[in-house]
Amino acid sequence: MKKMMVMLLSVIMITSIFMVGCTSKESSGGGEGSSDAGYSGKTYKWVAQSPWPSGTTLHWMAEEIARDITAATGGRLEVEMHPAGSIVAAFDILDAVDTGTLDAIHSWEGYWVGQIQAAGFFASMPLGMNEQQYMTWVLQDEGTELWKETFADYNVEVLPAGAYTPEVFYHSTVPIQNLDDLKDLRVRGSAFWGEIQSRLGANVINVPGGEVYQALERGMVDAAEFATPTDNWGLGFHEVAEYLVVPGAHQPTSTFSFMVNQQRWDELPDDLKEIVMLVTENMWGKAWSYAAYQDMQTMEKYRELEEQGKLTIIEFDEGDQVRMSEVTNEYYAELAEKDEQFRKVWESQNKFLEKYNYWRDFMSPSY
């Protein structure tokens, strides 16, 4: 009898402990950093858009962010990414996420320099930083802080979201080996690079990206820049321009962001915010390595065309690249005098580069 009582008491104690544990878990929620969605079953859905056409490396980046967030949150936050023009026009996405028409966007800030000149520093600057420099400045120095500050007038949470590979300098119907060859040529250009090309003696024509092929084919322009080797290959520029000019000094890298409407961001529990931030930070390595791998293979295709006599690859004169840098910095200095935020960001990058380049030059081998 005594033995049976002991066994009964043991069962009661175990059952009680189990019930207390379950009750404790189910009542968890609230408090600093907790996730009520994890226990209440609450889910969120964001409708997002990029400014990129489907099938491009650029839209792949946007789609990967959406897929990774959805997967990493176990579907608690679903991001539905749409290509350019699906919901709003490509150049209207910033206003759309600001007003809440879109919950989030994949963005290249070069599109917004008309509203905010300093935005160009968070996209790509001609003769500017490369991807490693940008990544370090953004993730470790004050780049993220200045990025958010530059867009403070918009109702958005700005999340830096990776870098892209260098662009092709020109697809051209005539050889361009130096600055003398560039003078008086009709070239595609816009924003900062358009002005710089004008200062270098070129005749700049603003051609939309979707019309570059036709502009080269019909002789509207002699040379055009657009994107990376891979994306340019897909658009067939090599079919109508027999010269490929490198390196992409005008755009040594491009950086991107994932912007979220502030109200949509604020309603997320802390753990989901942390996952979104980790996904976007991860894109600094994921996006660049993916694009680089694609470009490696594409350059092999260009090399095969050159071996077949169908294309000529030209390396632009190194000394004239330095001269372009000098002209570019003169132009930036003029802009800095007129725009306080532009000056602040430009000075931050220059201060960072002075230390970064000192370290890199000593520590990078010459072989």
Side-chain angles (χ1 to χ4, degrees), residues 34 67 79 92 138 207 217 253 279 283 289 297 324 349 351 362:
S34 66
R67 280 193 289 263
V79 182
D92 291 339
V138 169
V207 179
E217 183 181 37
T253 192
V279 166
M283 289 303 292
S289 60
Q297 298 176 75
M324 283 196 301
Q349 287 194 352
K351 181 179 177 182
F362 271 112

Side-chain angles (χ1 to χ4, degrees), residues 286-305:
K286 182 175 183 178
W288 193 88
S289 60
Y290 175 86
Y293 191 71
Q294 301 302 311
D295 286 349
M296 287 167 52
Q297 298 176 75
T298 301
M299 286 304 295
E300 288 298 309
K301 297 178 183 178
Y302 286 130
R303 179 158 63 178
E304 289 174 6
L305 289 181

Side-chain angles (χ1 to χ4, degrees), residues 174-178 243-247 306 312-316:
V174 296
I176 304 174
Q177 299 182 2
N178 51 48
Y243 298 97
L244 179 77
V245 187
V246 294
E306 185 173 42
T312 300
I313 300 175
I314 297 173
E315 293 187 58
F316 195 80

Side-chain angles (χ1 to χ4, degrees), residues 164-185:
Y164 193 39
T165 44
E167 292 192 352
V168 172
F169 194 22
Y170 289 115
H171 286 269
S172 177
T173 58
V174 296
I176 304 174
Q177 299 182 2
N178 51 48
L179 288 177
D180 287 338
D181 292 338
L182 191 60
K183 289 179 181 177
D184 298 324
L185 282 188

Side-chain angles (χ1 to χ4, degrees), residues 321-348:
Q321 290 180 48
V322 174
R323 175 57 186 152
M324 283 196 301
S325 177
E326 294 169 352
V327 171
T328 298
N329 284 324
E330 291 169 4
Y331 174 52
Y332 292 163
E334 293 175 16
L335 294 177
E337 291 180 359
K338 303 173 185 177
D339 188 309
E340 181 179 351
Q341 186 66 13
F342 187 98
R343 175 190 56 76
K344 184 176 183 180
V345 181
W346 188 45
E347 288 180 351
S348 172

Side-chain angles (χ1 to χ4, degrees), residues 117-176:
Q117 281 201 322
F121 285 110
F122 307 101
S124 59
M125 294 296 279
L127 287 299
M129 297 198 295
N130 64 28
E131 73 287 340
Q132 290 183 337
Q133 293 164 336
Y134 257 115
M135 179 177 65
T136 309
W137 178 67
V138 169
L139 297 183
Q140 300 298 326
D141 203 67
E142 57 184 357
T144 294
E145 176 187 345
L146 290 171
W147 203 327
K148 292 176 182 291
E149 180 182 297
T150 298
F151 284 85
D153 290 339
Y154 286 85
N155 182 42
V156 294
E157 181 72 19
V158 178
L159 301 166
Y164 193 39
T165 44
E167 292 192 352
V168 172
F169 194 22
Y170 289 115
H171 286 269
S172 177
T173 58
V174 296
I176 304 174

